[in-house]
Amino acid sequence: MTTPPPIPSSEITPPELYFNRRSLLRAGIVAATTASTAGLYRALNRPGAEEVKTPELVGLVKDRGDSTDPVEQANPEGAADPVEAAPAEPVDNGFHTDETLTSLRSVTNYNNFYEFTTSKERVALVSRNFVSRPWTVAVEGLVHKPKVFDLDEILKLSAPEERVYRMRCVEGWSMVIPWAGFSLSKLLDAVEPMGSAKYVAFETLFDPKRMPGQNYPALDWPYVEGLRLDEALHPLTMLATGLYGRELPAPNGAPLRLVVPWKYGFKGIKSIVKISLTENQPPTSWNVTAPGEYGFYSNVNPDVAHPRWSQATEQRIGESGRRKTLMFNGYGEQVAQLYTGMDLRRNF
Ligand SMILES: Nc1nc2c(c(=O)[nH]1)N[C@H]1C(S)=C(S)[C@@H](COP(=O)(O)O)O[C@H]1N2
Ligand SMILES: [Mo]
């Protein structure tokens, strides 16, 4: 289980795109405009990450067309070169969904972030003065090159890609969020995992003065999460440093958080300060709190009910009525092979 899975053909960039400079250029342009956010991308693009060095970006980001996103309309400078922008690449590979984006207002004002408060509607208020710079992330454990990264060093690892993922909370609501960031594998590659590493453990900042919810025992602090190494190395697994083309807002886990789109939202640990590679399966906060209700894997699965409610349907924020929840949150084509031969009811 320690080797990364083969990448499905749908995720492999055709070689002609790797070597076609026009396409690479277009990817850069489209990334900047799609994000609604040319300026924000510049802000996220630290020196050293200026060039589009990520061929996998080609074709992953597509123009959303006549967006009604107010942020986009406020950034007319993002208008694309008509020659370069004309033919949209057909895209449906998991990194981008065409489903309607959840509004920026909902994404940043309806949050689970117990370090601030257990009230979803109050997280934005309570976290409004949270200072997330300077910030360091220690990457350690079973790696050849352990390192304490400054946030800016992490941002330099890769130009930010925009990825529009579905997010399904275990409570039964969901959103569609345009993240900025890059595959966690880029950070893990930099520290060179040892052959003995089988899991990756993550930890949120513990600082009750800055995170007032930590003065209450809502959970065992700090919040911890974990993935199997092959899950962590999967290209869909993302270190998010922004959303809607801006730096990551405090309620969403500033300055950087994990996003694992085929798992329930609580696996997406926020405000990460430590990442450790381990041989044994690490403890995870919600599993420690209620082992019978939240498993280590927590893959979105409409067929396995939570002990207290069905997981068959979900409320998409901003929509009326409920929609069917999809196996692996709709990412089965990309990730199902990670779980071949596993009993997903037992390993819930
Ligand atoms: N550190 C930390 N990370 C966390 C949480 C939390 O309370 N603390 N809540 C989780 C839950 S339950 C969900 S659904 C998502 C919500 O992410 P969002 O607020 O950006 O939508 O964050 C997850 N990450
Ligand atoms: Mo959640």
Side-chain angles (χ1 to χ4, degrees):
M1 289 300 189
T2 57
T3 42
I7 298 174
S9 59
S10 61
E11 286 176 17
I12 295 173
T13 305
E16 64 270 22
L17 291 186
Y18 270 100
F19 302 114
N20 181 330
R21 191 166 154 71
R22 275 174 64 86
S23 295
L24 283 169
L25 274 173
R26 183 161 68 229
I29 290 164
V30 173
T33 55
T34 305
S36 8
T37 58
L40 286 311
Y41 266 87
R42 265 200 302 283
L44 289 166
N45 247 310
R46 302 293 160 194
E50 244 101 72
E51 238 179 278
V52 178
K53 290 186 187 125
T54 48
E56 64 270 34
L57 181 61
V58 176
L60 298 184
V61 182
K62 71 182 241 192
D63 200 329
R64 283 198 295 274
D66 49 347
S67 169
T68 52
D69 173 6
V71 181
E72 181 161 347
Q73 290 173 346
N75 284 278
E77 62 178 319
D81 174 327
V83 177
E84 295 293 349
E89 306 278 351
V91 179
D92 183 13
N93 55 14
F95 292 88
H96 186 285
T97 168
D98 274 340
E99 291 166 49
T100 306
L101 297 183
T102 303
S103 72
L104 174 62
R105 170 184 272 267
S106 292
V107 169
T108 57
N109 288 273
Y110 187 80
N111 304 94
N112 276 326
F113 202 168
Y114 282 19
E115 282 83 345
F116 291 102
T117 164
T118 55
S119 160
K120 287 189 238 307
E121 291 83 3
R122 285 177 46 82
V123 172
L125 178 73
V126 178
S127 68
R128 71 193 181 287
N129 294 322
F130 182 67
V131 177
S132 57
R133 270 176 200 267
W135 193 273
T136 58
V137 181
V139 189
E140 57 185 49
L142 301 175
V143 299
H144 291 291
K145 295 187 169 168
K147 181 174 158 75
V148 178
F149 290 83
D150 186 75
L151 179 63
D152 288 317
E153 292 177 298
I154 291 183
L155 294 173
K156 272 185 222 165
L157 287 173
S158 175
E161 302 159 29
E162 178 174 87
R163 299 184 181 186
V164 181
Y165 285 163
R166 289 174 288 277
M167 188 182 73
R168 169 62 156 81
C169 174
V170 73
E171 297 166 331
W173 52 269
S174 64
M175 295 189 182
V176 176
I177 302 177
W179 301 105
F182 50 84
S183 291
L184 173 67
S185 65
K186 291 193 172 164
L187 175 62
L188 297 179
D189 287 349
V191 296
E192 298 179 13
M194 294 179 180
S196 51
K198 293 191 171 52
Y199 293 90
V200 185
F202 304 85
E203 208 173 292
T204 295
L205 175 69
F206 178 70
D207 187 345
K209 287 204 183 70
R210 294 158 70 194
M211 294 181 146
Q214 290 177 332
N215 292 299
Y216 305 90
L219 292 168
D220 280 348
W221 311 113
Y223 196 103
V224 290
E225 256 305 337
L227 295 172
R228 224 170 49 195
L229 182 57
D230 59 346
E231 298 176 316
L233 292 174
H234 191 283
L236 284 177
T237 301
M238 184 180 193
L239 214 44
T241 54
L243 59 77
Y244 265 107
R246 58 195 67 198
E247 289 187 9
L248 200 62
N252 303 91
L256 85 172
R257 59 94 58 85
L258 184 69
V259 179
V260 194
W262 71 94
K263 293 178 178 281
Y264 289 118
F266 66 81
K267 297 293 290 184
I269 182 172
K270 298 176 171 181
S271 304
I272 296 167
V273 292
K274 195 162 101 179
I275 299 177
S276 312
L277 284 89
T278 64
E279 181 147 23
N280 298 316
Q281 184 177 301
T284 59
S285 282
W286 281 101
N287 177 254
V288 168
T289 298
E293 301 191 2
Y294 310 101
F296 175 80
Y297 284 93
S298 294
N299 293 316
V300 174
N301 189 338
D303 301 327
V304 176
H306 184 279
R308 292 182 281 132
W309 58 84
S310 162
Q311 294 291 24
T313 66
E314 67 199 53
Q315 174 74 59
R316 178 67 53 85
I317 301 301
E319 265 182 19
S320 58
R322 296 180 71 85
R323 56 164 68 208
K324 281 192 169 158
T325 287
L326 304 173
M327 186 64 201
F328 295 116
N329 203 22
Y331 298 98
E333 199 187 317
Q334 286 83 16
V335 305
Q337 86 284 348
L338 291 171
Y339 310 102
T340 308
M342 280 177 63
D343 177 350
L344 297 178
R345 289 188 172 273
R346 209 163 57 85
N347 297 289
F348 66 98

